[in-house]
Amino acid sequence: MPTLEAQEQQSQGQRVHQPEMILEELSSDSNAEGDKEDDENWEDEQSSQSVDMSTTLSEYLIPSLFTTPPLTDPLMTETSIVQEETVEEVIPFLTATSGRFSARQDLSISSPYNAFGIPFLSREKHIAFLHKCLEELPAAYIAADASRPWFFYWVLCALRTLGQDVSVYESRLVSSVRSAQNLTGGFAGGHGQMSHLAPSYAVILSLAIVGGKEAMECVDRKAMWHWLGQIKSSDGGFAMSIGGEEDVRYTRPPWSSSSYFILGTREDVLTSSNRGAYCATVILCLLDLPLELPPDSPFKSRQGSRDTDTLLTGLAEYVGRCQTFEGGISGCPDAEAHGAYAFCALGCLSILGSPHEIIPKYLDIPLLVSWLSARQHAPEGGFAGRSNKLVDGCYSHWVGGCWPLIEAVLDRPASSTVIDPDTERTTTEHWDPSLYSREGLIRYSDAYHTCYVLSGLSAAQNAWSYMASNDSYEAAGAGNNLTAPCHWVPTQNPRYEDSESGTQVFDEIDRVCTVHPVFVVPEGTAEKMRGYYLAKEGF
């Protein structure tokens, strides 16, 4: 255990000698017999120029958090045992002793790690891999046929986050998704399948990312509006599809204080989902759809309906009922809290209104902050999605992405801005310490969920401030009044060595593009799509 003096020296950016860590060589089954040739082409390439395994920690500025044994619960469970095994596997990546990474000779950098022991971002390899994902895939991917819209979104968003121009994919994307759009509204996972909110959300974001008139005109907005009216549920939320999950389900309508089982007509089985609330509000906002209920919406004929009801009636209340006793957010009332649903809830509310006003109205913020904070693990620095679970790279976004929205609640909107003369970026006049360890998040990376890891990396590299006004956007008109998500302004967090409050431990060559904290698309993408439809008259 490092002494207090050593820890203080580390916090001041001084190199401290740490004992060497020995890593046993891990075996690999990548050459197992029976591997298909097409699958082999997709396997991650091992570095031909690996770091010397005798490297000592004294060469890097690695805080003791990542090199000392973590606090553990004396109660041993199957999960805690696996967690200990996982820590042993990731320690080499946290302490700059892994031989997996190669030196950046293209930039005349002899070491595969920067001064903080963090491997450089393999940007070109990620870009090559992502482009390959838009070509013919191995046969095993046939099981994910209904998820093709998600592949479009993940790949295109990740490429843009890495600074790539994806407009060349516009025609191909439009050709692919047009056949998945049903005449009754909404997009399906593929041709001949039923419309579903998840692929509809993914398609809309993909079209926004590639941009262009052909992409914008691809969407049948009027049919989408009617379809959203069909899946508006009597409990205030949105179902993921018409007649989806037609089994015995439970829900809690606004007029009931307890859960009960329901089984009956098609309207009854429109069981809401927290992610449905988020996907629907994103679509309503980006397409600038009317908030009035379509004439044929079943929501109009529900018990207790009013003439003033809209597509948003009861939605915020539904989201609030999804908060659990732990403080996290579940997919529906009375279920288990999950990190992805926490983001969906915060994202939905941040579209419905200003986060500092609407989020505390419907969610217990101190309880939610406590639950979210407990999801970040040491020494990995990454996030887990649920209690008593292991960390996963995708939660760099699903949980890490919650913090800018929470910080907007606690900081309240900035009332004035200044222009940084060096970057010409708009910044707020104040800066508050982060609620979570951005350094920890940067240290934990995983290529398995490339899109969300890069989105999490972007969230760690930048801070977002919610502005009291955004004159440049509001001058274009309010449309359906869902303008709250257009008031966010990013700032680059200062480098560790450039400021007393600096938190960033990556090199500038590894900076990625800013990703919108609510829509999860590169900065400016969502605003351009909404602006396009604002300029149109009617559908």
Side-chain angles (χ1 to χ4, degrees):
M1 178 74 70
T3 64
L4 292 177
E5 180 180 0
Q7 292 180 352
E8 182 177 0
Q9 288 176 329
Q10 283 186 318
S11 66
Q12 296 175 352
Q14 300 180 13
R15 288 180 170 79
V16 180
H17 178 75
Q18 301 261 10
E20 295 187 12
M21 302 189 73
I22 301 176
L23 171 69
E24 295 183 2
E25 184 175 354
L26 299 177
S27 60
S28 172
D29 59 356
S30 61
N31 295 322
E33 295 182 3
D35 284 351
K36 298 288 179 64
E37 182 178 353
D38 56 350
D39 292 332
E40 291 175 351
N41 293 333
W42 282 75
E43 291 183 2
D44 192 22
E45 298 178 1
Q46 287 290 337
S47 168
S48 60
Q49 298 175 347
S50 59
V51 65
D52 184 355
M53 299 301 289
S54 63
T55 300
T56 61
L57 299 181
S58 60
E59 297 184 28
Y60 303 106
L61 298 170
I62 302 177
S64 59
L65 169 67
F66 304 102
T67 60
T68 55
L71 295 175
T72 57
D73 191 317
L75 176 63
M76 299 298 293
T77 65
E78 181 179 351
T79 300
S80 67
I81 294 173
V82 176
Q83 170 66 17
E84 291 183 358
E85 295 173 351
T86 302
V87 170
E88 290 299 319
E89 291 186 15
V90 302
I91 280 294
F93 299 95
L94 304 174
T95 56
T97 56
S98 171
R100 180 172 182 175
F101 305 103
S102 58
R104 294 296 302 271
Q105 294 186 351
D106 57 326
L107 299 174
S108 300
I109 300 176
S110 59
S111 171
Y113 300 96
N114 70 6
F116 295 90
I118 297 174
F120 293 103
L121 180 66
S122 300
R123 187 183 299 267
E124 297 305 320
K125 288 185 177 181
H126 289 312
I127 291 172
F129 169 77
L130 290 165
H131 281 298
K132 186 185 296 185
C133 289
L134 293 177
E135 302 299 332
E136 186 174 349
L137 301 176
Y141 278 81
I142 194 172
D145 177 69
S147 298
R148 282 188 296 167
W150 281 107
F151 281 90
F152 301 153
Y153 164 67
W154 292 330
V155 173
L156 294 170
C157 184
L159 284 171
R160 277 288 305 277
T161 305
L162 291 171
Q164 297 297 292
D165 178 12
V166 296
S167 60
V168 295
Y169 287 113
E170 180 184 2
S171 294
R172 285 181 56 190
L173 176 65
V174 170
S175 177
S176 297
V177 302
R178 182 174 283 134
S179 63
Q181 184 172 213
N182 290 310
L183 295 177
T184 53
F187 290 87
H191 176 66
Q193 301 173 21
M194 67 186 303
S195 296
H196 193 281
L197 262 179
S200 295
Y201 161 89
V203 167
I204 297 304
L205 293 188
S206 299
L207 293 171
I209 292 170
V210 297
K213 183 176 181 179
E214 184 182 11
M216 300 298 107
E217 293 295 333
C218 171
V219 183
D220 187 337
R221 295 166 63 233
K222 186 174 184 179
M224 178 72 78
W225 176 61
H226 278 279
W227 179 68
L228 289 175
Q230 290 294 312
I231 59 175
K232 174 68 175 176
S233 180
S234 60
D235 60 7
F238 284 89
M240 296 303 291
S241 62
I242 295 177
E245 301 185 51
E246 295 184 359
D247 54 358
V248 178
R249 299 282 298 180
Y250 67 92
T251 185
R252 181 186 296 162
W255 56 84
S256 173
S257 60
S258 61
S259 300
Y260 68 97
F261 287 92
I262 59 175
L263 179 63
T265 65
R266 184 191 60 76
E267 179 183 354
D268 291 335
V269 297
L270 286 181
T271 306
S272 300
S273 163
N274 194 5
R275 61 172 180 158
Y278 171 66
C279 292
T281 49
V282 167
I283 293 172
L284 285 168
C285 182
L286 294 189
L287 298 185
D288 189 39
L289 297 178
L291 300 182
E292 293 80 13
L293 285 166
D296 56 349
S297 174
F299 193 71
K300 281 179 169 288
S301 60
R302 82 190 193 288
Q303 179 183 348
S305 62
R306 297 169 297 179
D307 293 338
T308 55
D309 287 341
T310 70
L311 286 168
L312 304 182
T313 298
L315 186 57
E317 289 82 359
Y318 173 81
V319 171
R321 293 196 300 275
C322 291
Q323 187 165 26
T324 74
F325 70 94
E326 293 180 282
I329 313 295
S330 59
C332 59
D334 303 320
E336 182 182 12
H338 192 284
Y341 291 125
F343 177 83
C344 288
L346 292 170
C348 174
L349 293 176
S350 296
I351 294 174
L352 298 180
S354 300
H356 66 287
E357 295 176 347
I358 192 169
I359 292 178
K361 183 178 179 180
Y362 294 101
L363 298 177
D364 185 327
I365 296 304
L367 203 59
L368 178 57
V369 168
S370 175
W371 187 86
L372 288 171
S373 300
R375 304 285 72 75
Q376 189 167 31
H377 288 216
E380 307 102 304
F383 292 106
R386 290 179 286 167
S387 300
N388 202 33
K389 292 291 184 179
L390 305 180
V391 297
D392 190 313
C394 67
Y395 296 114
S396 300
H397 159 66
W398 292 120
V399 177
C402 289
W403 292 111
L405 307 181
I406 291 292
E407 288 174 341
V409 174
L410 303 181
D411 290 347
R412 305 187 65 81
S415 58
S416 58
T417 61
V418 295
I419 303 297
D420 187 324
D422 297 325
T423 63
E424 298 184 352
R425 296 289 293 274
T426 302
T427 62
T428 57
E429 289 185 336
H430 68 276
W431 183 85
D432 293 321
S434 175
L435 290 171
Y436 70 103
S437 172
R438 280 187 163 87
E439 178 177 357
L441 184 54
I442 290 171
R443 288 182 177 276
Y444 182 79
S445 59
D446 188 325
Y448 182 71
H449 294 308
T450 307
C451 171
Y452 291 127
V453 170
L454 289 173
S455 295
L457 177 60
S458 177
Q461 291 179 348
N462 301 278
W464 286 85
S465 298
Y466 187 82
M467 309 304 297
S469 64
N470 188 336
D471 296 334
S472 61
Y473 182 83
E474 291 176 351
N480 62 12
N481 293 319
L482 294 179
T483 61
C486 304
H487 290 252
W488 292 89
V489 176
T491 62
Q492 293 182 351
N493 287 324
R495 284 273 295 158
Y496 183 88
E497 65 269 23
D498 295 337
S499 168
E500 292 183 359
S501 61
T503 58
Q504 297 299 358
V505 292
F506 60 89
D507 287 29
E508 284 303 309
I509 59 173
D510 291 334
R511 185 177 290 279
V512 297
C513 298
T514 49
V515 175
H516 196 283
V518 176
F519 296 119
V520 201
V521 290
E523 179 189 0
T525 297
E527 292 83 352
K528 288 181 180 179
M529 172 174 259
R530 180 171 166 83
Y532 180 88
Y533 296 121
L534 277 170
K536 293 173 66 71
E537 293 185 6
F539 289 108

